Amino acid sequence: MDFLNALVVFLNFVFIPAAAYGAQLALGALGVTLIYGILRFSNFAHGDTMAFGTATVILLTWGLQAIGITAGPLPTALIALPFGIALTALLVLGTDRAVYKFYRRQKAAPIILVMASVGVMFVMNGLTRLLIGVDEYRFDDGARFIMDVRTFREMTGLPEGLALRSTQALTLVVAVIVVVVLFWFLNRTKSGKAMRAYSDNEDLALLSGIDPERVVRLTWIIAAGLATIAGTLYGLDKSFKAFNYFQILLPIFAAAIVGGLGNPVGAIAGGFLVAFSEVAVTYPWVKVVGYLAPWYEPGGLMQLLGTEYKFAVSFVILIVVLLFRPTGLFRGKSV
Amino acid sequence: MATNRQAATSSSPWRAPILFAVLAALFVLEGTVRNSMFSGSWNTSLAILNMGLISAITALGVNMQWGYAGLFNVGVVGFLAMGALAPVLISLPPVEGAWQAGVPRLLLALVVGLGTLAMAKLAWTRTRSGIVVTVVLIAGFVAYRWLFDPAVTAIEANNPARNGNIGGLGLPVLFSWLVGGLFAAAAAWAVGKVALGLRSDYLAIATLGIGEIIVAIMKNEDWLARGVKNITSIPRPVAQEVDLQQNPDFVDFATGWGFPAAEASGIWVKLSYMSLFLVVLLIIILLAELALKSPWGRMMRAIRDNETAAEAMGKDVTRRHLQIFILGSAVIGVAGAMMVTLDGLLAPTSYNPLRYTFLIWVMVIVGGSGNNWGAVLGSVTIWFLWIKAEVWGPALIALLTGPLPDSAFKAHLLDSAPHMRFIAMGLVLLLVLRFAPRGLLPEK
Amino acid sequence: MTDQNATFGNRGNRDASVVNTKGMGTIDGTRRSGPVGAGRAGDPFLIGESMTGGYGKGADILHDCTISVEQGQIAVIVGPNGAGKSTAMKAIFGMLNLRQGSVRLNGQDITALNPQDRVKAGMGFVPQVNNIFPSMTVEENLEMGAYIRRDDIRATMEQVYDLFPAVAEKRRQAAGELSGGQRQQVAVGRALMTQPQVLMLDEPTAGVSPIVMDELFDRIIAIARSGLPVLMVEQNARQAMMIADKAYVLVQGANAHTGTGKELMQNDEVRRTFLGG
């Protein structure tokens, strides 16, 4: 019984939140890794692309709600999402036209693209602020819980409760669908294979008749889609605040690098690794230990690090992985 | 075969003096002309200039790393924060009762913590056994927390309303600027040691991470510098405005120049700071230029221009990179200490990477990568624009939306006009990168 | 070099957390093709005639150099280091600026075409290095070779596998994990997937062991015997001449000797100065 209680506490406070957060990070890291693999630079504007995408989704959600359209038990944002993706993709493609294309034609060193992405980051940051401001918003509507604590207790008779918020379940479902579709696209379709070929060897791809500009456009569209989805899921799960999306850049980069930059499988693994470590290290384990080892009375909360230091966790994982496997867990650079 | 569109225009020896003169004119306008664009207040003008000078020193540090060695440091905010700790820990008076409460135990805990890391490293090089390292780390961590937690609780319980921190050493604040450099250098050593010279570098992500961590530590470790409760009343190296206003000689002097005493005291203080900052700035530029012209500097440039060749000639590229990374970070640390001294306040929540990392990068690129005077010019210019954009943005929007009828949309635009400066800075960076990548003052 | 690259090109490119320099391209994919002209009567199947030119705006490397291949034959380009062998082949493939001369293939003047369009016009080119997609499987490499084809590629793929049984066994493995010789086979197979009218190989045996080299030469002969003309650049002049129907010895970017492989092997001057006695 105590073991079951411990398990429920673990699932409720560690496993489920970490899985949802991990899925959000993984989607973000996938976008970063695709751009790194194909456009060959780390996109510092990715966090702000996520923020912009989410902001458009929120505005559209409000619009839909205003005219009385909702998705019933599901968040209205889900209806707004495809339109948000389209708008973000348009913005990102416009940015590529206006900024990156010039350097690509010149065969400019990738560091110049990194610099340019810092400029784009500023502009997108400003755009998002213009669009929606700097305040914190919650935009999840529909059913709040798939399973709430009381129902669970009544069902099982355990003193500990287990809650599954609908946004968490939604995050996992959407993430699985997106990842399956993305991998099917990259590994099974001609266009997806062309993207991987371009990432592997630009010249040979060109000589094989692959249109580089088409590959680049596809990449931006996919990255915009991933960023908007990741951002919206993160916002639904927690809340939307533009600055948080800038800060999430670190765990996302860490996830992408830990998994091996340029490697989509690695990005997903990295995302979950970072998320689970963050939650596990910052969670006070006293309750779980209390059930598992009732004879032991710990002095404190048994929390390894305060939640304020969750960024430190992604950083330490990053360092450890790089020290032992400099190319990341799944050898990097192979979209 | 270089198609240097920019080269033709940038070779003039008058370019730098002219640009600096234009910049100076802007500050004079800000100080004298009062209209919708300028404030007409010398206090405002000098305040912008002082912060611009600190930004310039920060940019010099970044420029050393980027310009001389091509290192991409995106943790500037962290090194600034590191430096900012120095005035608090060095020049603040000691906190009564903190030492008795547990400072020795705290120091011991920190020593144990660092010792654990060193032991783990040693264990790894000696045994190559993951298990041994893990055991060392776990044992060290337990010992560290056992020492650390009670000490922190005790220190933070010591007069928490006013102090609750370990306090300073009561040494002169100017000395703390130097220590700020040392603090940042130590952090840079740790980061650089890990992130430079793996199969390739991972400096960007490592600095991004350490930047966040240092700021997080400042925000949350109340025993260190009171966290988000802020530290105020950091000692000043210059006179206090109040003292000046009560000094009859100064009041006479001020009225002689036609300024009311209150305004004049502010100007006087700002001018004093400005002189201090200029001295530091000039010393750093002098040292940097001398270093660059020395054999060491030539080697640095050789490495930057062709790493492979330099490596083949037996130069230890990683080691040189580490050196320059530490030096540059030390300069950033000095700037961090100066900034806290100028503000008289340590407010960790204000350490925002957009403002203190990426804006500095805009300054360096706009000024001219690799050119020290360029970094100075770029910093002060960009800082001036950054501040003024907050005023000019709404003015511009008001002008543009003037003909529109009042509406929610217009109100929204007017409300969000101050955010225009982010877009403006991004555009400046993008335009410079595209049309004048060598910056305002190109590297020779 | 552009302003941007001059200023930033040497900075920050060591930092793998922000830049990815692996697999970067060098060919300018944006160059547009000019019109295709008519060939000349009595042309060989493929001819690069009186080619003079160099890379970019640099000095000329080729001087009035002529290379040709007849249907069903093997032509090799040999010569000392720096003679412009690879450059001659790249010139035929459209990768450098020709100031004079023309390239004609199968009765068409293709001098104005860019490399991509020459592939479509029937050239199969295997670069000396970076000639596979390392993270993709052998099969995907072949599929990418056939990217421009809209018809069923399975038959061609089977032909390639018949030709290279060793890589056929590893069709599901990443090409980058194969041995040097097998990678070359994948590279050649990739080029064959377009069903080219001429196969151009830039030093296919560079860096492989002598046994693998013999094996590769066997395969190349088999390809030529099947009716596909082969033009190749070779370091191993002696072996190359043995299988060549026609051989070109280049010296300093100009034709020094031309003839069948056998003739040149018997030419005293060629033997003395070039084959080492």
Side-chain angles (χ1 to χ4, degrees), chain B residues 97-439:
Chain B
W99 188 261
Q100 292 79 356
V103 172
R105 185 171 181 150
L106 185 84
L107 292 176
L108 185 64
L110 296 179
V111 169
V112 166
L114 292 176
T116 305
L117 292 180
M119 285 275 289
K121 169 92 166 61
L122 197 69
W124 176 249
T125 42
R126 286 280 168 81
T127 63
R128 295 270 148 192
S129 150
I131 301 166
V132 175
V133 174
T134 316
V135 168
V136 169
L137 283 175
I138 291 177
F141 184 75
V142 170
Y144 162 78
R145 287 295 290 263
W146 179 76
L147 285 166
F148 183 78
D149 290 355
V152 165
T153 315
I155 291 172
E156 287 177 1
N158 173 35
N159 193 3
R162 283 199 53 221
N163 301 117
N165 64 330
I166 53 176
L169 299 173
L171 296 171
V173 71
L174 287 182
F175 170 69
S176 78
W177 293 4
L178 211 59
V179 179
L182 289 179
F183 281 3
W189 176 81
V191 180
K193 204 70 188 150
V194 177
L196 289 171
L198 296 164
R199 193 173 302 166
S200 38
D201 295 348
Y202 282 89
L203 193 68
I205 184 72
T207 47
L208 191 69
I210 203 74
E212 295 276 2
I213 292 174
I214 292 174
V215 175
I217 290 177
M218 279 225 312
K219 280 182 191 161
N220 297 298
E221 297 302 314
D222 286 6
W223 56 268
L224 187 64
R226 301 195 74 219
V228 290
K229 287 179 279 185
N230 299 351
I231 293 262
T232 49
S233 68
I234 289 165
R236 299 180 112 179
V238 300
Q240 297 275 2
E241 282 92 340
V242 205
D243 296 340
L244 287 173
Q245 286 161 24
Q246 285 161 358
N247 179 342
D249 290 343
F250 180 80
V251 174
D252 286 348
F253 172 73
T255 37
W257 281 83
F259 283 107
E263 194 187 340
S265 65
I267 294 175
W268 179 263
V269 168
K270 291 189 177 75
L271 282 175
S272 322
Y273 271 123
M274 187 187 81
S275 326
L276 276 175
F277 294 167
L278 276 177
V279 168
V280 175
L281 181 75
L282 291 175
I283 290 175
I284 289 175
I285 290 192
L286 184 71
L287 290 177
E289 292 285 324
L290 284 179
L292 201 59
K293 292 201 172 70
S294 71
W296 181 83
R298 281 199 295 277
M299 179 173 65
M300 290 310 307
R301 275 183 295 177
I303 288 176
R304 189 197 70 202
D305 292 341
N306 195 338
E307 258 170 31
T308 331
E311 220 149 25
M313 282 160 62
K315 308 289 182 210
D316 187 344
V317 172
T318 304
R319 213 181 134 81
R320 302 295 143 207
H321 277 176
L322 185 60
Q323 274 179 355
I324 199 106
F325 181 61
I326 293 174
L327 283 176
S329 301
V331 172
I332 299 173
V334 171
M338 291 164 63
M339 190 165 71
V340 173
T341 315
L342 173 68
D343 292 343
L345 164 83
L346 176 67
T349 43
S350 68
Y351 285 77
N352 174 342
L354 215 52
R355 154 71 186 87
Y356 288 110
T357 296
F358 293 104
L359 194 63
I360 298 289
W361 269 102
V362 177
M363 294 169 177
V364 172
I365 302 291
V366 167
S369 312
N371 185 323
N372 288 325
W373 288 109
V376 175
L377 181 70
S379 306
V380 182
T381 313
I382 290 293
W383 182 248
F384 186 81
L385 292 178
W386 177 254
I387 293 294
K388 294 311 285 181
E390 214 174 7
V391 185
W392 294 347
L396 181 72
I397 294 279
L399 191 73
L400 290 178
T401 56
L404 291 180
D406 284 337
S407 65
F409 178 66
K410 184 175 172 180
H412 174 76
L413 278 183
L414 283 172
D415 275 352
S416 40
H419 301 313
M420 294 285 284
R421 65 178 179 180
F422 290 91
I423 299 179
M425 284 305 131
L427 287 180
V428 165
L429 176 61
L430 288 174
L431 290 174
V432 166
L433 212 52
R434 172 81 164 74
F435 296 106
R438 286 151 199 270

Side-chain angles (χ1 to χ4, degrees), chain B residues 41-72:
Chain B
S41 147
W42 278 108
N43 265 313
T44 315
S45 178
L46 287 173
I48 299 176
L49 179 62
N50 279 342
M51 204 48 216
L53 288 176
I54 288 177
S55 302
I57 293 173
T58 319
L60 277 176
V62 175
N63 192 39
M64 283 180 184
Q65 299 171 340
W66 170 245
Y68 296 3
L71 301 176
F72 191 60

Side-chain angles (χ1 to χ4, degrees), chain A residues 47-332:
Chain A
D48 286 295
T49 312
M50 283 170 67
F52 178 87
T54 315
T56 55
V57 168
I58 293 176
L59 292 178
L60 290 168
T61 304
W62 289 343
L64 287 171
Q65 285 166 344
I67 55 173
I69 299 178
T70 59
L74 293 172
T76 313
L78 224 46
I79 306 177
L81 188 58
F83 302 98
I85 292 176
L87 287 173
T88 314
L90 278 180
L91 175 78
V92 163
L93 285 175
T95 313
D96 183 69
R97 251 289 171 65
V99 179
Y100 299 115
K101 191 174 182 181
F102 170 79
Y103 302 108
R104 204 163 49 241
R105 285 197 157 201
Q106 294 193 333
K107 305 270 171 214
I111 192 74
I112 300 166
L113 294 172
V114 178
M115 284 294 161
S117 84
V118 171
V120 172
M121 177 185 83
F122 268 102
V123 174
M124 281 201 179
N125 195 297
L127 278 181
T128 311
R129 284 159 183 261
L130 278 185
L131 210 59
I132 202 166
V134 290
D135 299 331
E136 189 161 351
Y137 299 103
R138 292 210 59 99
F139 59 104
D140 53 333
D141 51 2
R144 189 130 297 186
F145 288 101
I146 287 181
M147 160 86 70
D148 65 14
V149 172
R150 190 193 300 177
T151 327
F152 182 84
R153 284 200 189 122
E154 282 166 3
M155 263 168 56
T156 58
L158 289 174
E160 287 300 337
L162 181 73
L164 180 62
R165 279 189 287 127
S166 43
T167 52
Q168 292 169 328
L170 187 72
T171 297
L172 289 170
V173 171
V174 172
V176 168
I177 294 173
V178 167
V179 167
V180 168
V181 170
L182 180 68
F183 276 74
W184 169 81
F185 177 78
L186 286 177
N187 291 318
R188 292 278 179 272
T189 66
K190 208 170 171 182
S191 299
K193 286 179 190 172
M195 283 171 61
R196 288 165 54 216
Y198 180 84
S199 160
D200 257 13
N201 190 334
E202 261 178 61
D203 280 348
L204 203 60
L206 182 73
L207 297 185
S208 302
I210 294 166
D211 177 6
E213 286 304 307
R214 185 164 170 274
V215 166
V216 169
R217 276 198 304 274
L218 266 177
T219 310
W220 279 121
I221 292 172
I222 295 174
L226 287 169
T228 311
I229 295 172
T232 305
L233 292 176
Y234 183 80
L236 281 173
D237 192 20
K238 302 189 165 71
S239 69
F240 174 82
K241 189 164 187 256
F243 184 67
N244 291 347
Y245 282 70
F246 175 76
Q247 283 204 312
I248 205 179
L249 201 58
L250 177 66
I252 283 180
F253 272 14
I257 293 175
V258 161
L261 263 170
N263 185 325
V265 182
I268 295 167
F272 282 102
L273 180 66
V274 168
F276 272 91
S277 322
E278 259 189 32
V279 176
V281 170
T282 55
Y283 175 69
W285 288 92
V286 60
K287 212 168 178 185
V288 175
V289 173
Y291 279 116
L292 289 180
W295 60 88
Y296 176 69
E297 292 207 358
L301 291 169
M302 305 212 60
Q303 186 183 19
L304 289 172
L305 269 180
T307 37
E308 315 81 44
Y309 292 120
K310 57 181 188 198
F311 292 122
V313 179
S314 32
F315 182 72
V316 170
I317 295 171
L318 181 80
I319 296 300
V320 170
V321 169
L322 289 182
L323 282 179
F324 294 101
R325 280 190 74 106
T327 47
L329 293 177
F330 296 76
R331 179 165 320 138

